[in-house]
Amino acid sequence: MCGIVGVVSNAPVNQLIYDALLLLQHRGQDAAGIVTQQERKFFMHKAKGMVRDVFRTRNMRSLPGNCGLGQVRYPTAGNAYSEEEAQPFYVNAPFGIVLVHNGNLTNAHALKSELFITDHRHINTESDSEVLLNVLAHEIEKTTRGLPLQPLDIFAAVRNVHRRVKGSYAVIALIAGHGVLAFRDPFGIRPLCIGKGPDGTVVASESVALEGTGFQFERNVDPGEAVFIALDGTVHAQQCADNPQLNPCIFEFVYLARPDSVMDNISVYQARLNLGESLAKRVISTVPPNEIDVVIPIPESSRPSAAQLAQLLGLPYREGFVKNRYVGRTFIMPGQSVRKKSVRQKLNAIASEFKGRNVLLVDDSIVRGTTSKEIVQMARDAGARKVYMASAAPPVRYPNVYGIDMPTSSELVAHNRTVEEIRQIIGCDALIYQDVDGMKKAIGSLNAKIKGFDASCFDGVYVTGDITSDDISRLNENRVGGEEAQEDTSRLALPNPAD
């Protein structure tokens, strides 16, 4: 999962892109990059780290021009430790193209061989984004055949990209001397939207990046659609997929996106309120409300669900944990023992909210279970009489192959385990999960045009229809990061939108 933005303006865009990337920082903290164009020349700066650390005044001054791209990277394929794999990626022919990508190609390995043998293109990294860039460049080269580039040529190239590429992808590319191209995979798994302002047009992963930079949200880019923004600001759009259907990633609404974003015409905040409402019904069937003294969220993204649940059950809602924002991230620790220690450093319990009470802890989801187990113990250490745990999402039982670095099956606490077995591992007195149908109904009710979701990490159904167990094994081998013993701390597992 990454955050991407592209701008065509009549004013310098370096500060605008920087500001947009800050608003998308929750989508990736591993690396950041910006490229701008002035008089057909690209100016680029990218490096590992957070936006505020990667870009200094001298870097910003070296990014002139009125159009450009930016990305915050959260690696799910390739080498997490390589500065070379920070985006944007660049190829010099045809025309000169730079590209940023959010998602994950499921056939990148086959495409890489095809590019070398058939297309005579060289891929120098392990990144699927470089593969995608070269497929796009090759298809643009084929459609133009040495002639001047026209919007119809671009759309024909994207149509061929859709036919060759499998998986999830939201893409923004800058073609030197021509403009910005944005397109979304035929299933619309990863988000992309477009907005306008007095100075130009912007495309970004989330609406918050538009509104926070003074642009007016216009619409979502449809699944399979390509949008081309010429340097004069003219916007061209065309559907380029043979059979597009909107199946957005449901985990965006559960956890990944900022609550103040609207994605595919669904308010992320309202989606989380609805999840809390649906979860409340599950809680009642497991633990009578009169046996719960207080509802406490696990910061940050579970707060809307927890507040709605508490209101519906007529229970007090309290903040029982204080978050220390200035420690290392939980999920980048090299070993389980260090990870457990980090949870204690990151969260501190307010003892008065727990002492002598039966508490219901609400989290957005439970992935490995390591953090949940530690938090339950923290609640007990703070004096809680009983500790119940509720998850606003269903059990995470399957790997994700579409751009979320979900752990392998063996690392998922819910994989091949019953709820009772998970409860025993976590150590809570009762464990309540959202059910898959309830989750889909709670979020899907907010947009009748959405007929389905990619909920593969919950139900094991991969919407692209081309994923086998062998594919999952191969993709797991290519996951970033590595073994517990590795000392590098750049790998992320699941980001926390609050960081």
Side-chain angles (χ1 to χ4, degrees), residues 258-312:
R258 269 182 52 150
D260 46 344
S261 282
V262 175
M263 305 175 77
D264 292 312
N265 299 321
I266 293 177
S267 160
V268 175
Y269 185 76
Q270 186 61 53
R272 291 174 187 170
L273 291 178
N274 285 14
L275 288 172
E277 185 174 335
S278 179
L279 183 60
K281 299 170 186 175
R282 302 279 293 181
V283 170
I284 291 171
S285 66
T286 308
V287 181
N290 61 7
E291 292 184 17
I292 302 170
D293 297 317
V294 64
V295 176
I296 294 176
I298 297 171
E300 303 270 348
S301 48
S302 63
R303 282 180 172 140
S305 297
Q308 187 76 347
L309 180 151
Q311 182 181 1
L312 290 170

Side-chain angles (χ1 to χ4, degrees), residues 273-402:
L273 291 178
N274 285 14
L275 288 172
E277 185 174 335
S278 179
L279 183 60
K281 299 170 186 175
R282 302 279 293 181
V283 170
I284 291 171
S285 66
T286 308
V287 181
N290 61 7
E291 292 184 17
I292 302 170
D293 297 317
V294 64
V295 176
I296 294 176
I298 297 171
E300 303 270 348
S301 48
S302 63
R303 282 180 172 140
S305 297
Q308 187 76 347
L309 180 151
Q311 182 181 1
L312 290 170
L313 298 185
L315 295 169
Y317 170 89
R318 294 287 186 270
E319 294 287 342
F321 294 102
V322 175
K323 190 166 189 177
N324 179 4
R325 299 180 184 277
Y326 304 104
V327 296
R329 296 171 55 80
T330 303
F331 292 108
I332 62 176
M333 299 303 156
Q336 290 287 79
S337 60
V338 184
R339 184 179 292 118
K340 289 167 71 174
K341 179 184 175 184
S342 178
V343 175
R344 296 268 179 168
Q345 292 174 333
K346 195 171 185 179
L347 288 179
N348 191 49
I350 302 172
S352 59
E353 296 300 331
F354 293 91
K355 193 169 183 179
R357 291 176 171 176
N358 295 342
V359 300
L360 174 64
L361 304 180
V362 179
D363 208 348
D364 48 73
S365 57
I366 300 171
V367 183
R368 286 186 177 91
T370 310
T371 299
S372 300
K373 180 178 181 179
E374 194 70 6
I375 288 173
V376 167
Q377 188 58 49
M378 287 173 67
R380 295 198 190 281
D381 293 345
R385 190 165 59 242
K386 286 191 175 180
V387 181
Y388 309 120
M389 172 76 79
S391 169
V396 178
R397 299 190 185 277
Y398 307 94
N400 183 287
V401 300
Y402 298 128

Side-chain angles (χ1 to χ4, degrees), residues 399-430:
N400 183 287
V401 300
Y402 298 128
I404 304 172
D405 187 24
M406 201 68 75
T408 57
S409 297
S410 61
E411 296 175 274
L412 298 171
V413 70
H415 182 69
N416 283 338
R417 289 192 178 101
T418 65
V419 173
E420 173 57 21
E421 288 171 334
I422 302 166
R423 183 198 68 77
Q424 292 177 14
I425 291 171
I426 292 173
C428 52
D429 295 289

Side-chain angles (χ1 to χ4, degrees), residues 107-338:
N107 66 335
H109 182 75
L111 281 172
K112 190 172 181 179
S113 298
E114 193 177 287
L115 283 165
F116 179 74
I117 296 168
T118 306
D119 301 345
H120 302 158
R121 284 184 169 269
H122 174 67
I123 306 300
N124 202 50
T125 71
E126 297 303 314
S127 173
D128 61 339
S129 302
E130 190 188 9
V131 171
L132 181 53
L133 169 60
N134 276 272
V135 172
L136 174 64
H138 180 75
E139 295 302 334
I140 290 176
E141 196 166 40
K142 275 172 52 180
T143 57
T144 55
R145 301 176 304 279
L147 298 173
L149 183 66
Q150 301 296 327
L152 288 178
D153 298 324
I154 296 172
F155 297 142
V158 173
R159 191 170 292 110
N160 289 331
V161 170
H162 287 325
R163 289 169 180 160
R164 292 181 67 180
V165 171
K166 306 296 182 186
S168 67
Y169 48 96
V171 174
I172 307 175
L174 175 56
I175 305 172
H178 291 87
V180 167
L181 165 67
F183 59 94
R184 198 173 174 193
D185 71 72
F187 294 91
I189 298 172
R190 300 263 73 87
L192 197 62
C193 60
I194 185 169
K196 288 203 169 185
D199 294 327
T201 304
V202 63
V203 185
S205 295
E206 294 187 31
S207 62
V208 68
L210 312 181
E211 295 155 359
T213 52
F215 285 77
Q216 184 73 36
F217 172 83
E218 191 170 68
R219 66 180 181 88
N220 298 285
V221 176
D222 289 334
E225 183 185 20
V227 175
F228 178 68
I229 310 159
L231 293 179
D232 65 1
T234 306
V235 178
H236 307 265
Q238 189 174 112
Q239 177 55 251
C240 298
D242 296 329
N243 183 31
Q245 48 185 293
L246 183 57
N247 286 269
C249 173
I250 206 163
F251 214 74
E252 293 275 2
F253 302 99
V254 169
Y255 181 61
L256 299 177
R258 269 182 52 150
D260 46 344
S261 282
V262 175
M263 305 175 77
D264 292 312
N265 299 321
I266 293 177
S267 160
V268 175
Y269 185 76
Q270 186 61 53
R272 291 174 187 170
L273 291 178
N274 285 14
L275 288 172
E277 185 174 335
S278 179
L279 183 60
K281 299 170 186 175
R282 302 279 293 181
V283 170
I284 291 171
S285 66
T286 308
V287 181
N290 61 7
E291 292 184 17
I292 302 170
D293 297 317
V294 64
V295 176
I296 294 176
I298 297 171
E300 303 270 348
S301 48
S302 63
R303 282 180 172 140
S305 297
Q308 187 76 347
L309 180 151
Q311 182 181 1
L312 290 170
L313 298 185
L315 295 169
Y317 170 89
R318 294 287 186 270
E319 294 287 342
F321 294 102
V322 175
K323 190 166 189 177
N324 179 4
R325 299 180 184 277
Y326 304 104
V327 296
R329 296 171 55 80
T330 303
F331 292 108
I332 62 176
M333 299 303 156
Q336 290 287 79
S337 60
V338 184

